[in-house]
Amino acid sequence: MANTYLQRSVTPAFPPSDSPIIIAGPCSVESEDQILATAQALSKIPEVKMLRGGIWKPRTRPAAFEGRGEEGLVWLREAKQTTGLPIITEVATPEHVELALKYDINALWVGARTVVNPFSVQQLADAMRGVDIPVFIKNPVSPDLQLWIGAFERFQKAGVTRLVAIHRGFSYYKESPYRNFPMWEIPIELTQKLNVPIVTDVSHICGNRELLQATAQKALDLATDGLMIECHINPSEALTDAKQQITPDELKSLLAGLTFRSKSSNHVERDLANLRSEIDDIDNELLQLLARRMEVSAQIGEYKKRNNVTVVQMDRWKKILAEHVATGADLGLSPQLIDEVFEAIHQASIKRQSSIMED
Ligand code: PEP
Ligand code: MN
């Protein structure tokens, strides 16, 4: 089972378990005190099995904090030695790989901005030849499943056997409450195609603290093998991603509020959650489309008002409805459904345009 593989491959010391592993730690390693205090607090939470900390930070603008580099690795290793937690950090170049190995990093992750570039991924894969530590591959920033799969293939070809996926959401052109839209169907398809364990990085999906709990639960319902959650001893002072980091105490309550389902016993519930998630996405799309339709309808209303045209043009509507019924029949939808849905939409449209006329 994928999760057992994750437990075994990432930290051989884990007792075999069916429940998802939790990877927690700050977005960035900022100072010796910050990482040690965070790690100490996290090590007291039994579910936390691994400590994350960014050493080299890919920032959008060059003036921002770009990570402590090698000095940070010294502190991260110290955190590992004092807490016993295995450590994981992000690498983007062969030099990063070399330094991370020098400081006894247990596992590496490749960031979303690096996975979009096959040249960089290939360089990292080449640097990992003959090195036997797990590599976690984040999804690329864009919703491109093939690009994500390609990164796995490059590492596999270089002989890296322990690979794990990290789902951190995708850039999305529409308004959304998330920093990176989850598009759950993409990670689900990845795990069906590659049979790799998957960790959900809820912090980078949400971009804020408020959505973390519900998103973590959703990830668990969809059978994630692990959660990555950014934790900082003092989030409001964090040098990166301050809005989405939580304290170790907050992590403790978040975990206490989650329902962990056993993977093996609850596949019916998980299959259902999977399908429901697809329905939720579709309903969301329907809502966005309806809103757009109403907006265009209002623009038409304004136009009619300016040009003195009547709101209802029955002939045109009858023709459109007949066309929709025919298209619906081709798609296996009953005439009654099409009639009722479009009649309701049309009525709402007329109401909107009439109120524009009266203004
Ligand atoms: C991170 O994990 O801190 C990070 C930079 O993530 P991503 O590559 O997902 O943006
Ligand atoms: Mn971050």
Side-chain angles (χ1 to χ4, degrees), residues 27 52 57-58 90 109 111-113 138 168 201 204 230:
C27 178
R52 65 153 279 156
K57 300 303 299 176
E90 173 173 354
W109 88 74
R113 289 166 194 76
K138 287 205 176 195
R168 49 77 78 196
D201 173 351
H204 288 91
E230 286 189 339

Side-chain angles (χ1 to χ4, degrees), residues 46-112:
E47 293 94 337
V48 174
K49 304 293 188 207
M50 187 173 243
L51 176 69
R52 65 153 279 156
I55 296 293
W56 300 280
K57 300 303 299 176
R59 305 308 301 282
T60 307
R61 305 284 297 275
F65 172 68
E66 291 187 313
R68 293 283 177 229
E70 188 166 358
E71 173 183 41
L73 284 170
V74 178
W75 306 329
L76 195 52
R77 182 172 62 183
E78 205 181 326
K80 163 179 166 170
Q81 286 160 351
T82 55
T83 62
L85 284 172
I87 49 180
I88 179 167
T89 199
E90 173 173 354
V91 288
T93 68
E95 295 72 40
H96 294 166
V97 174
E98 199 180 312
L99 276 168
L101 295 174
K102 181 173 156 197
Y103 287 92
D104 305 326
I105 295 286
N106 298 83
L108 303 172
W109 88 74
V110 185

Side-chain angles (χ1 to χ4, degrees), residues 233-247:
I233 199 67
N234 189 357
S236 59
E237 306 261 292
L239 298 181
T240 55
D241 288 350
K243 280 200 286 193
Q244 71 195 29
Q245 303 207 56
I246 55 175
T247 64

